[in-house]
Amino acid sequence: MNELVEALWYILPAYFANASPVVFKGKTSMDFGKNFSDGRRILGDGKTWRGFFGGLTVGILISLIQYYALPSYYGSFNLAFKLGFALSFGALLGDLVGSFIKRRANLPRGYPAIGLDQWGFLIAALLLGYPLKSLQTGQVLFLIVITPFIHWFANIFAYKMGWKSVPW
Ligand code: CTP
Ligand code: MG
């Protein structure tokens, strides 16, 4: 596999985990509506438990499909599953950290934070996936460059589908 294609193949569960909560969006927010010590919401209404577990499930399912499509890339089902979990969980966790930072900066739910929105989930996914299977430096740089474009494209798609009220 071409090394850039391999990088995209590797990160696919994280992309799906990050993009799918918008279709699952639940009612109960992950911070249960609670405020932080600064009087503002801990995470806000944009982060729900249903979205989180929906994203985690979709991300892991993608990694299992990837395993059956190309078992030699992972070596074992066990590694594919663990990597799928790490990449998906990392993507969702990075997104939560991003929302936490946005609320501390007093940005309302859904307000775009350039950089944080596109790279937060990616960096967290790469960090959690790294101990299980690593990419080369060039591949990581490629993902850092390409991910904002894929993120924007995915958000415009979700907006056109009527899943999101804003195209970012
Ligand atoms: N979503 C969810 N649960 C999550 C993540 C996302 O239910 N853990 C849903 C919410 O409906 C959210 C939408 O997916 O509004 C888009 O996600 P995102 O852009 O990450 O959230 P924002 O609404 O932009 O909120 P924030 O400002 O906190 O990033
Ligand atoms: Mg957003």
Side-chain angles (χ1 to χ4, degrees), residues 18-30:
N18 184 252
S20 52
V22 72
V23 259
F24 287 98
K25 51 172 160 272
K27 283 200 178 109
T28 313
S29 51
M30 296 187 78

Side-chain angles (χ1 to χ4, degrees), residues 22-70:
V22 72
V23 259
F24 287 98
K25 51 172 160 272
K27 283 200 178 109
T28 313
S29 51
M30 296 187 78
D31 64 9
F32 299 104
K34 287 188 170 42
N35 288 343
F36 194 60
S37 55
D38 56 11
R40 296 192 273 269
R41 286 288 294 277
I42 303 174
L43 299 170
D45 288 328
K47 305 293 121 128
T48 68
W49 285 105
R50 202 179 127 96
F52 184 87
F53 285 110
L56 192 61
T57 305
V58 170
I60 292 171
L61 282 176
I62 291 297
S63 71
L64 299 187
I65 293 169
Q66 287 182 291
Y67 173 72
Y68 285 109
L70 203 60

Side-chain angles (χ1 to χ4, degrees), residues 21-22 25 46-48 51-52 95 99 102-103 108-110 164:
V22 72
K25 51 172 160 272
K47 305 293 121 128
T48 68
F52 184 87
D95 186 50
S99 289
K102 282 163 79 172
R103 299 301 91 79
R109 173 229 177 138
K164 281 183 80 120

